[in-house]
Amino acid sequence: MQILFFIISFMILIVSELYYIHRAKIHNWTSAKNQRTDGHPVAVVGGGFIFYLAIVLWSLGVGWIYDPSEAMSALMVGSTMLAACSFADDILQLKIWIRLVVQFIAIAFLCFQLPSIDFGIGIWIFYVIAAVGFVNAYNFMDGINGITGLYSLAVLCPILWYNLNIHHFISGALILFAIMAIIIFCFFNCRRRAIIFAGDVGSITMGYIVTALLSFMIFTTNDITIIVLVIVYGVDTIMTIIRRIIERENIFQSHNKHAYQILNRIFKVPQMLISSCYAAIQTAISIGYLSIPKSMHWPYITIVTALLIIIWLIITFAGIKKKNL
């Protein structure tokens, strides 16, 4: 029964994506309207809506196919709010304060879903701010073909392995459904001439899913080093923000200063090669983390972070030097 439901859901996602592409072209929901062509042919935005549709399908299976105890109503409410707001932003370009208010409320709902831990109010406030920051970081990194899909696979696959082999902390079916949606999305996006982009609805929703999974992992194991499973995105985002603050830029405005953007725009490295490298590096780091004893986690994450910062600095300063030539 579970396999049949999985197959039916897979077909629903494919048909939904194809139908959305057709309707989006009619309504001109494209990268030309959203200023995200990067010199490439116009593509449909918002194709990442199937990330949300996938967890909706999963939630429908909970109770009559999967374990009812794994139902997550608060998580679904939060993801629905984010998906609706982000899709509206893709189409209508909402004001930033509207998006932030919805994001904070969605993360608040996620807090109700997490295991009950007696943290002080200060810790919870810090968690909400950090979670909103991570969700937006996931959105900021969605700038070239393939990066959201391939990197998300590089994150979710180790998380699924961890859930199955080390510590069960959440429904494995939820992770599988998210992976299934990403694979379908990659078929249309992971190519030199992308047919679709994830849009905010895709990157924000996937950022929320990854945030939820990492939160459950950390809250059930009390091991913050699990954050290494997204360290590549983390270092690129944080270092880029620091650079922009130093240069007195508005960090909420669009820019081209992430490492992947420098590699593509200044050094002309193909987008799919960059995306593949980001995913491969994160996969290698995650495999290394999951293969070593727990006592080595802190030294490992320290060394990995230092190396990634060095790589980021080399790319950034090389880009600055080349641009000034």
Side-chain angles (χ1 to χ4, degrees), residues 4-140:
L4 178 60
F5 184 72
F6 188 87
I7 294 174
I8 293 174
S9 298
F10 187 80
M11 295 176 65
I12 291 174
L13 290 174
I14 292 177
V15 172
S16 298
E17 189 72 281
L18 290 171
Y19 179 74
Y20 175 79
I21 292 172
H22 171 69
R23 298 303 302 177
K25 289 180 178 179
I26 293 176
H27 294 289
N28 194 32
W29 299 337
T30 63
S31 54
K33 181 179 179 179
N34 288 267
Q35 299 179 341
R36 203 219 137 167
T37 58
D38 293 335
H40 288 264
V42 172
V44 168
V45 297
F49 84 96
I50 62 170
F51 302 159
Y52 170 70
L53 180 58
I55 61 174
V56 169
L57 291 172
W58 165 80
S59 69
L60 294 176
V62 174
W64 60 282
I65 292 181
Y66 301 106
D67 185 354
S69 65
E70 295 179 330
M72 298 185 176
S73 56
L75 175 68
M76 291 306 303
V77 171
S79 60
T80 300
M81 293 176 61
L82 277 183
C85 177
S86 299
F87 184 74
D89 185 45
D90 283 327
I91 307 304
L92 305 173
Q93 303 295 299
L94 301 179
K95 294 184 180 299
I96 188 171
W97 69 267
I98 297 177
R99 304 198 303 268
L100 286 174
V101 168
V102 174
Q103 290 168 12
F104 273 103
I105 295 175
I107 294 298
F109 272 100
L110 177 58
C111 290
F112 290 112
Q113 197 73 75
L114 294 172
S116 298
I117 299 179
D118 188 19
F119 285 149
I121 186 65
I123 297 296
W124 281 110
I125 292 175
F126 173 80
Y127 167 77
V128 171
I129 294 174
V132 170
F134 179 79
V135 169
N136 280 282
Y138 222 89
N139 185 35
F140 295 157

Side-chain angles (χ1 to χ4, degrees), residues 48-284:
F49 84 96
I50 62 170
F51 302 159
Y52 170 70
L53 180 58
I55 61 174
V56 169
L57 291 172
W58 165 80
S59 69
L60 294 176
V62 174
W64 60 282
I65 292 181
Y66 301 106
D67 185 354
S69 65
E70 295 179 330
M72 298 185 176
S73 56
L75 175 68
M76 291 306 303
V77 171
S79 60
T80 300
M81 293 176 61
L82 277 183
C85 177
S86 299
F87 184 74
D89 185 45
D90 283 327
I91 307 304
L92 305 173
Q93 303 295 299
L94 301 179
K95 294 184 180 299
I96 188 171
W97 69 267
I98 297 177
R99 304 198 303 268
L100 286 174
V101 168
V102 174
Q103 290 168 12
F104 273 103
I105 295 175
I107 294 298
F109 272 100
L110 177 58
C111 290
F112 290 112
Q113 197 73 75
L114 294 172
S116 298
I117 299 179
D118 188 19
F119 285 149
I121 186 65
I123 297 296
W124 281 110
I125 292 175
F126 173 80
Y127 167 77
V128 171
I129 294 174
V132 170
F134 179 79
V135 169
N136 280 282
Y138 222 89
N139 185 35
F140 295 157
M141 295 297 290
D142 179 42
I144 58 175
N145 298 354
I147 195 166
T148 294
L150 294 180
Y151 190 82
S152 296
L153 285 177
V155 172
L156 292 183
C157 289
I159 290 178
L160 178 62
W161 188 91
Y162 185 98
N163 189 57
L164 294 175
N165 298 282
I166 298 180
H167 179 78
H168 180 78
F169 62 91
I170 204 168
S171 167
L174 171 60
I175 307 175
L176 280 173
F177 269 68
I179 291 175
M180 176 172 61
I182 293 170
I183 292 173
I184 295 172
F185 171 77
C186 284
F187 176 79
F188 297 99
N189 177 256
C190 293
R191 52 182 74 197
R192 189 173 67 87
R193 295 174 178 269
I195 297 174
I196 60 173
F197 291 143
D200 284 357
V201 64
S203 57
I204 290 287
T205 299
M206 184 52 62
Y208 187 71
I209 293 171
V210 173
T211 298
L213 295 176
L214 291 175
S215 298
F216 274 94
M217 293 175 75
I218 293 172
F219 277 58
T220 57
T221 62
N222 293 318
D223 187 1
I224 191 66
T225 62
I226 288 171
I227 201 69
V228 76
L229 299 180
V230 290
I231 195 68
V232 175
Y233 260 22
V235 168
D236 195 342
T237 300
I238 292 174
M239 293 300 295
T240 301
I241 290 175
I242 291 174
R243 176 189 174 184
R244 299 193 70 203
I245 291 175
I246 292 175
E247 296 177 353
R248 298 183 179 181
E249 294 182 1
N250 185 343
I251 62 173
F252 295 106
Q253 292 181 347
S254 60
H255 63 94
N256 300 310
K257 295 183 178 179
H258 282 293
Y260 75 85
Q261 293 171 320
I262 295 172
L263 288 170
N264 178 241
R265 291 176 177 271
I266 298 179
F267 293 102
K268 307 303 179 183
V269 180
Q271 294 190 15
M272 284 306 303
L273 177 58
I274 297 171
S275 299
S276 298
C277 288
Y278 266 69
I281 293 171
Q282 182 61 71
T283 299

